Structures are given as structure tokens and as C-alpha cells.
Amino acid sequence: MIPELLSALPLTLAITFVAIVAGFGLALITTTFRVRRVPVISQLADLYVSYARSVPVVLQLFVSFYGLPLLVILIGGDDFLTATIAAMVGLSFYHGGYLSEVMRPAYLAVDRGQHDAADSLGYTFRQKITRIVGPQAVHIALPGYGNSIIYLIHNVALVMYIGAADVMATAHLIMERDYNQYQFPTYLVLAVIYSILCLIAWLIIRAFEVRSPMYATKEAPVRAALMPSV
Amino acid sequence: MLDIHDLKLSYGNSKILNGVNLSVKRGDVVSIIGPSGTGKTTLLKCINYLAKPASGTITFDGIRMDYQRADKAAIQAIRLRTAMVFQQFNVFKNMTVIQNVMDPLVVVQRKSKEEAREIAARELERVGLSTKQDHYPSQLSGGQLQRTGIARALAVRPDVMLFDEPTSSLDPELVGEVLKVIKDVTSSGITSLLVTHEMQFAKNISNRIVFMDRGVVAADGSPSEIFDAPSNPRLAQFLSSEHTLQ
């Protein structure tokens, strides 16, 4: 049972990975438009975030699974969409919208004075974001980002509803094949697999959390003393 | 060198600046005093466009800008020739002291890291922070933070220094160390505008005092004209209340 379940793990990981990368890109673009307030585009970005946060994830997956082929046909393409691609697209949009609501408050939480100082010294918007506001916002956003990754991993389990063969779907196939005799042990193994995935994600984020805020913690004196002068 | 004409700014229904006119000559050290909420800080922020006035013009040497048609090039040109010291210090929290001073030189002025480090080290020595250059802002006192802010401002070699209540957020014990640095800076001949509530200090270091009240310049003169023989009744009232407090 376990090897069979693990054989479906690469697909779960692939969907998660694509959603993390594409979702991050979407969140970055969406957040930029939400904080810079460009007419029409910013309102559309708000609408998208509202959709991603308020519509149940399983419903977003159905929208993606049934809606994307219609969209592809509408623009004259061939229907190449599989359940896996629909799952990747659906979860990327969900994660991007959710993550934007982590990034935006983090950006807004950076003290207004940091913007003023950078502006008064002649930094461009891009320089200000990459050198001053961005690094501080990342530090603020990290715990929320960790949570959003964990929610994403949980929600990948829902892709079985649109027929993607991830670990959850594979577990159901195994249980049905065995006439539902081993439901509890199968679910237990699943629980362990998801726990390990979330633990790994948490450890990675935690490593970044420890690294990034050295300027804001009491450990700073030791670290500064150990660092070579700039 | 700096001319501000008919500057107006409102936040919602409250008018902050009601047509400010101010002219500053090269080498002037102008202290701006007045009751809270009369637009002193806002005026300073308008100069480098951190606050956006509804109307008015600014002429800075050859650069002239109408605030109703503010263009990016003029804003940037003025920002590159002024440097601001903030009430809340606004030292970059993600950088060490020396990185704070170096970064604008490397990023905005495109100087080499070596040159920037040399300038930064010199300015930090001037403000007495050589031993703290690898510390992060979270490890410094208010006075040290403000001196970092002053070193950062000096390092960009501005034509005009804008001090926005530089000691108002400080513990009384730390005010002295910052005032000493400001006195050193202003006595070096750099044109300075200083918003302050430190009346005695303003009197000592300035060659001109501007009294702002209800969003306009209500009195403008030498320290002795303003402090010893105030002609404006509001100014006299303000100074007497300050005096009573002290």
C-alpha cells in the first residue's frame, strides 16, 4: 500500500510546486497593482483576490476544470487540458490570491517613514522596493507565507474531485480495490505523508525566518560582531 | 537659492498650508518655529515632495517647478540636492549603520563601494559613530539613530539640509548629543532649514527665524527681531507660553 501511495507523491509534489511558483508570481503582480492603485487594473486585482479567498477551493477547482476547456476552445485552441493541468491552474490562482493578502498587509506594515527616507534620498520606486521596503516586508510576511504554503498542501488533496491521480485519489483507489477493508490504516498513512510534507515546508520557512530578521532581534549584537565589516 | 511661492495644501477639509512664501539664501540657517499643527513639517516635506501641495511654485537654483504640474525630473533634481533628517529618524532598519550611509551613495549616486565606504566612514566619524558602524538600528539609542540619520544626509553632499524636529522624539538626556552635531553641521556653512521647538537652540544657531501660524509665515526676521522684540501678537503669545513652560 505504501509504495503505491508514494508512487502518486510526485504528482502531488508537482502540483504543489507549480502552484507555489505560479502563485507567487501572480501574488506579486496582483499585490503591485493593489498597492499602486492603477485605475481598472487595481479593481480587477481586488476582484480576483476576493474570488480566490471567498470561493471554496474545491469549487475553484471545478471552475478551472470545466471552465478552462471552454476558454481554450473560445480562443481557438485545441483542448489539451488534463485534470492535472486544471488542478495546477486552479490551485495557482487560489494560492496567488490568498498570498496577495499576505503580501499586501506586509508591504503596508513597513513604516511610512522608511518610504519617506528612501524617496527623499532619490531612490526610484524599484530601488526602494528591492533594497529597503521589500526586505522588511519579507520579514513581516514570512509567518503568513508559511501558513499559506501549508494550506496549499492541504488543498492539493482536493484535486481528486476533478480526477487528478494524486496521493489522496490513489488512496481511494486502493481502498476500493480492497473492498474498503483497510480504510483506517490507509487514512493513517495519508495523514503521516501530509504531516511530513507540511513539516518539511515549515522547516524551510522557519530557516528563512531565522535568517532574515537578524536586524530586528536581540541576537543582532552577536551576529553583527561576527560579521566582517561592510 | 530657494524660493517658495504661494504654497497651498489641504488634507480633506483642513487647510494646512494657506499660501506660504519663503525665500532662503545660500548659507542661511533658518529655524522654523510655531505652534503644533501650523504646517512646519508639511512645509519641509513639500520641498522634497514627500507631501504634495495643491498649488504653488518652488524655485531651487535653476530648477523651477509648479506643483500643479509637478514633473518627475524636477522632483528628482530637487531631491538629489536636498537631504532630510526626520523626527522619527527613519534609519533603514534592514541595514547596519554604515550600510545606511553607503546605500544612497551606491544606489542613487552610483559611486563605487570603496568610495562610498570611505565617505560613510568619514561622516560617521564626524557624528561620533565610528565604533557603531556595524550595528543594526535595533541596537542603537535614539540619539545614535538620529546621528546615523544626519550622517546619511550629510554623505549625499546636499545643497540644503532639512531638519524636521530632529530632537522631538528623543529622551531629554540624548537631545544634547544630537544638537551638538547639528550645531557642527550648520556652522560649517551648509544651508539649513530647521523645524524645532528648541527655542534657545534656534536662537543660537540661526541667522533667521521664521514663525509659522495657521498655515502661513506670520513673522520672519533675525533671532533678535523675533525673540527680543516680537512685533506679531501671535508670536509674542507663542513665545510667552513657551517661556512659561520653561
Side-chain angles (χ1 to χ4, degrees):
Chain A
M1 172 179 70
I2 295 175
E4 251 183 296
L5 276 178
L6 291 180
S7 72
L9 194 58
L11 187 80
T12 295
L13 291 177
I15 294 172
T16 312
F17 180 75
V18 168
I20 286 175
V21 174
F24 186 83
L26 270 171
L28 213 55
I29 295 166
T30 309
T31 309
T32 306
F33 285 119
R34 292 179 78 208
V35 296
R36 296 212 80 179
R37 300 317 298 173
V38 181
V40 186
I41 300 176
S42 293
Q43 278 78 6
L44 287 175
D46 289 339
L47 194 67
Y48 156 56
V49 173
S50 168
Y51 165 81
R53 277 162 45 88
S54 54
V55 175
V57 183
V58 70
L59 196 52
Q60 292 186 42
L61 285 168
F62 282 132
V63 169
S64 169
F65 184 66
Y66 290 110
L68 278 177
L70 295 178
L71 192 69
V72 169
I73 291 166
L74 199 69
I75 57 173
D78 292 328
D79 185 5
F80 59 92
L81 291 158
T82 61
T84 305
I85 294 176
M88 287 171 172
V89 173
L91 286 175
S92 296
F93 273 92
Y94 150 72
H95 183 59
Y98 189 92
L99 192 55
S100 172
E101 211 38 35
V102 172
M103 288 182 179
R104 195 182 66 98
Y107 172 84
L108 296 177
V110 175
D111 186 14
R112 183 70 233 163
Q114 301 285 304
H115 290 263
D116 281 352
D119 289 341
S120 76
L121 287 161
Y123 283 69
T124 62
F125 181 76
R126 183 191 288 259
Q127 288 166 342
K128 180 174 76 173
I129 295 300
T130 54
R131 303 209 45 94
I132 293 142
V133 179
Q136 294 182 46
V138 166
H139 164 56
I140 299 166
L142 270 175
Y145 184 62
N147 285 339
S148 75
I149 298 281
I150 286 170
Y151 295 148
L152 175 66
I153 293 171
H154 293 171
N155 285 322
V156 173
L158 296 171
V159 303
M160 74 167 192
Y161 287 108
I162 57 169
D166 75 322
V167 278
M168 193 71 159
T170 308
H172 279 95
L173 285 176
I174 295 168
M175 286 187 282
E176 280 168 25
R177 190 189 61 203
D178 296 338
Y179 304 104
N180 289 337
Q181 292 180 77
Y182 308 114
Q183 281 172 317
F184 178 68
T186 312
Y187 282 128
L188 204 61
V189 172
L190 265 184
V192 172
I193 290 174
Y194 277 104
S195 298
I196 292 172
L197 287 181
C198 288
L199 181 69
I200 293 169
W202 181 78
L203 286 173
I204 294 171
I205 298 291
R206 185 81 195 121
F208 279 104
E209 274 183 50
V210 172
R211 254 170 61 96
S212 98
M214 90 180 149
Y215 50 85
T217 66
K218 297 295 172 199
E219 291 171 56
V222 184
R223 285 170 179 266
L226 291 174
M227 275 172 53
S229 59
V230 189
Chain B
M1 84 183 290
L2 175 67
D3 268 298
I4 291 164
H5 181 66
D6 201 20
L7 206 60
K8 287 184 180 151
L9 183 145
S10 310
Y11 291 130
N13 286 333
S14 54
K15 290 179 177 174
I16 309 296
L17 299 179
N18 267 327
V20 173
N21 295 297
L22 182 69
S23 176
V24 179
K25 289 198 292 288
R26 192 174 296 277
D28 267 357
V29 176
V30 182
S31 285
I32 304 170
I33 61 168
S36 295
T38 50
K40 306 184 296 294
T41 293
T42 308
L43 168 64
L44 226 54
K45 286 188 167 180
C46 287
I47 294 174
N48 58 13
Y49 209 64
L50 293 180
K52 298 164 183 61
S55 65
T57 57
I58 180 169
T59 312
F60 192 103
D61 279 344
I63 312 156
R64 188 178 182 281
M65 183 167 77
D66 184 338
Y67 281 110
Q68 280 178 319
R69 287 180 292 277
D71 71 293
K72 275 188 172 179
I75 293 168
Q76 184 70 355
I78 292 174
R79 282 177 174 173
L80 292 178
R81 297 177 62 177
T82 56
M84 190 147 181
V85 173
F86 296 87
Q87 183 179 357
Q88 300 296 339
F89 326 131
N90 297 346
V91 169
F92 300 138
K93 293 176 187 169
N94 57 324
M95 296 180 186
T96 61
V97 167
I98 195 162
Q99 284 171 337
N100 259 281
V101 185
M102 281 173 64
D103 206 63
L105 303 177
V106 175
V107 175
V108 180
Q109 299 192 350
R110 308 228 167 270
K111 286 189 162 58
S112 71
K113 277 196 170 178
E114 291 69 32
E115 194 186 351
R117 189 179 294 117
E118 212 173 283
I119 295 169
R122 201 163 51 232
E123 295 303 342
L124 287 173
E125 194 182 344
R126 182 173 176 182
V127 301
L129 281 177
S130 293
T131 56
K132 301 281 181 189
Q133 61 178 23
D134 293 326
H135 283 59
Y136 279 90
S138 59
Q139 303 165 264
L140 301 180
S141 70
Q144 290 165 340
L145 286 171
Q146 193 56 293
R147 285 188 280 146
T148 306
I150 294 172
R152 181 177 67 184
L154 286 172
V156 300
R157 298 270 178 279
D159 291 332
V160 176
M161 286 283 282
L162 307 169
F163 293 96
D164 176 22
E165 301 194 33
T167 57
S168 297
S169 305
L170 293 175
D171 189 307
E173 282 190 325
L174 303 173
V175 169
E177 64 182 77
V178 173
L179 291 184
K180 191 167 160 278
V181 171
I182 296 173
K183 191 173 181 184
D184 168 57
V185 172
T186 52
S187 62
S188 70
I190 186 165
T191 312
S192 303
L193 267 75
L194 169 74
V195 171
T196 187
H197 289 290
E198 302 277 345
M199 295 302 149
Q200 197 55 46
F201 182 69
K203 191 176 176 179
N204 289 343
I205 67 155
S206 318
N207 65 333
R208 233 178 100 195
I209 307 282
V210 167
F211 171 67
M212 278 186 73
D213 187 40
R214 293 173 195 149
V216 292
V217 173
D220 184 349
S222 68
S224 58
E225 284 168 345
I226 295 290
F227 288 107
D228 303 335
S231 53
N232 182 304
R234 277 289 296 149
L235 171 62
Q237 189 189 355
F238 172 73
L239 290 175
S240 69
S241 61
E242 285 282 329
H243 189 71
T244 315
L245 280 175
Q246 281 169 6

